[in-house]
Every structure is written in C-alpha cells, then in structure tokens.
Amino acid sequence: MAIEHEAPGVVHRPPLETSSLRTFPWWLVAILLAIAYMVVKIVVDPTYQDAFLTIVSGLGVTIYVTIIAFVAALVIGLLAGLGRISHNIVLRNLAITYIEFVRGVPILVLIFTIAFVVVPGAVSIFGLNNSSVTLTTRAIIALSMIYGAFLAEVFRAGIEAIPRGQMEAARSLGLTNYQAMRLVILPQAIRNVLPALGNDFIAMLKDSSLVSVLGVRDLTQVSRLYASTSFRFTETYFILTFFYLVMTLVLSLLLQWYQRRLRIER
C-alpha cells in the first residue's frame, strides 16, 4: 500500500464538527440545567417557596456588604500596591508587612480579630462608643482590609507589567513621577488587571458568607436562622446554594464576555 506523504508545514486541524463539540460549553449547560431544576422545585413546591421568600430577605445585605467592601478594598489595595513597589523603604516594608500578615492568617480568624479587636481598639482611640459601630460596618471593614491585601498584589503585578520605557518616556516629556504614574502607568495597569479584579469580586461575594459568624443578617445568616427554627435543612440549603450559584454564574459570564471583548480590541 502506498503511503501518502504530506508536504512539510501542513498544520493538522481537527474536523470542524469535532472541534465544535470539544469547545462547546458543556459545563454551562450542566449548571443551567441544575438552575432550571431548582427554579421548577421552587415554583411547584410550597415548602421551597416558603424557604425562598424567607431567605431572599438577606440578599440585599449580601450585595450591599460585598459592593461597599470591594470599593474600599480597591482603595486599600491600590495604596498598598503602590507602597509595595515604592522606593521608600518605610512605605515598602509597611506594605509588605500588611500583605504578608493578611495572607498568613485564615480569613475567618481575621474577621473575628478585626471585628472584635482592631475595630474596638481604633474606636477607643477616638473616644467613641464601641457599640456605635454596627456588626455590618465591622463586617465591611474586615472584608475590605482582607481583600485589600489580595488586591494589592493584583495592582503590583499590573503596574510591573507595564514596560519600563513608558515611565522613562513620560519623564522625558517633563512629567513628575506622580504625574507619570497617574496619567500614563495607572490607566494602562488598571485596564490590564480588570479581569483579575472581576475574579476577586466573585471571590469576595462568596466569602461574604463568612460574615454571618458576626451575626450580620446576610443570605447565610438568614438561612441558618430559618433552618434552626423550621428544621427544613434540605430546602434551606438548597435555596441558599441556588442564590449563590445564580449570582456567581451571571458574574462569571459577564467577566468572560469582557475578557473576549478585551482580546478583540487588542
């Protein structure tokens, strides 16, 4: 039998149908089917409806805590990230100490420590009443300080990814270090790190469930209270899973859409 030799440089490509099957988002179909099953269960079963209507009251607190804490974490992370790459030895070491300290302690332990040690200590310095700081505020402070350390590394990586020539070109045009960083480096760095920031926002949304240990009436805390009084553990945690799954799936799809758009623009 004669063997056909192909010309050098020929690239083997899988048939179009096989390639389409391999790249088809089967995972998305599976998750959407799971969500559809949950929706049907909620619609047709009165016990699930009762759990849904009770737990949904904590949705606003979860979204509020996550958004406010993330905005504060962005500010903290940007300042810590700039300190991390600063030539000032004091600022650089303060930033590194903060980042490594947070990264070395479990999130749950940090939430307790910040809520019941750091916040009361800071309040006493200003002569205020400890009870004036609500548990929700303590939860926001804790999440923002924790994620500020994570975002600091994101900003540092984004700034260091900008070619050094950009800073030198800005300085050669007469800009100061501050002006070059604000007008040239940071806009490019922030654009590069937006996908990573989106991932951290999704992670914070899930980790916001940890603030339920402080008694904040978010989705998780409301669910725990409902389950302990009604003994409907299956329905309760079924609905709780449904809420987090829908929120994270929507955010993940938006993030993937933005990443594809970013690649096309480049």
Side-chain angles (χ1 to χ4, degrees):
M1 181 181 293
I3 299 177
E4 296 182 357
H5 295 279
E6 295 177 342
V10 173
V11 178
H12 291 278
R13 296 183 185 279
L16 182 59
E17 293 182 0
T18 306
S19 177
S20 299
L21 290 175
R22 288 180 178 176
T23 58
F24 189 79
W26 297 106
W27 63 271
L28 180 59
V29 174
I31 293 178
L32 289 176
L33 286 174
I35 292 176
Y37 171 76
M38 291 176 171
V39 171
V40 171
K41 198 75 176 175
I42 294 169
V43 171
V44 302
D45 193 324
T47 57
Y48 283 87
Q49 290 176 17
D50 185 54
F52 178 87
L53 295 175
T54 303
I55 296 171
V56 76
S57 63
L59 180 61
V61 176
T62 293
I63 294 175
Y64 170 76
V65 168
T66 302
I67 291 177
I68 300 299
F70 192 74
V71 171
L74 284 175
V75 177
I76 296 172
L78 179 58
L79 294 176
L82 291 173
R84 180 76 170 75
I85 60 174
S86 172
H87 296 296
N88 186 306
I89 188 171
V90 176
L91 291 178
R92 187 170 69 252
N93 280 280
L94 281 175
I96 294 174
T97 302
Y98 161 63
I99 293 168
E100 295 301 327
F101 183 88
V102 171
R103 293 172 63 181
V105 181
I107 292 179
L108 189 58
V109 176
L110 282 173
I111 289 175
F112 280 126
T113 304
I114 294 171
F116 298 121
V117 179
V118 175
V119 172
V123 166
S124 64
I125 292 175
F126 294 101
L128 301 175
N129 189 354
N130 186 35
S131 60
S132 62
V133 183
T134 65
L135 291 173
T136 302
T137 303
R138 296 176 195 226
I140 292 172
I141 294 172
L143 280 179
S144 60
M145 290 182 68
I146 294 168
Y147 268 83
F150 299 150
L151 297 186
E153 287 297 88
V154 173
F155 282 117
R156 178 193 61 78
I159 293 171
E160 290 183 342
I162 304 299
R164 187 179 297 274
Q166 296 273 339
M167 174 62 83
E168 295 171 354
R171 293 302 308 276
S172 67
L173 293 175
L175 299 180
T176 64
N177 276 333
Y178 170 74
Q179 290 173 327
M181 181 63 71
R182 182 172 65 86
L183 300 174
V184 178
I185 304 300
L186 277 182
Q188 299 180 71
I190 290 175
R191 186 171 183 268
N192 289 339
V193 302
L194 279 178
L197 295 180
N199 284 326
D200 280 317
F201 182 79
I202 295 173
M204 179 184 276
L205 176 65
K206 292 187 291 183
D207 285 342
S208 69
S209 63
L210 294 174
V211 303
S212 63
V213 298
L214 301 179
V216 177
R217 293 182 66 84
D218 69 331
L219 279 174
T220 306
Q221 176 66 359
V222 173
S223 299
R224 289 171 55 189
L225 294 175
Y226 178 78
S228 62
T229 54
S230 65
F231 298 102
R232 294 175 177 170
F233 294 98
T234 301
E235 295 86 348
T236 300
Y237 292 107
F238 182 94
I239 298 297
L240 183 59
T241 303
F242 168 78
F243 275 116
Y244 280 109
L245 185 59
V246 170
M247 288 191 292
T248 55
L249 178 63
V250 171
L251 291 173
S252 296
L253 293 177
L254 287 174
L255 186 60
Q256 290 182 20
W257 169 80
Y258 175 75
Q259 288 176 324
R260 283 197 298 272
R261 181 179 175 185
L262 202 60
R263 283 197 293 269
I264 292 173
E265 289 178 353
R266 286 175 175 172

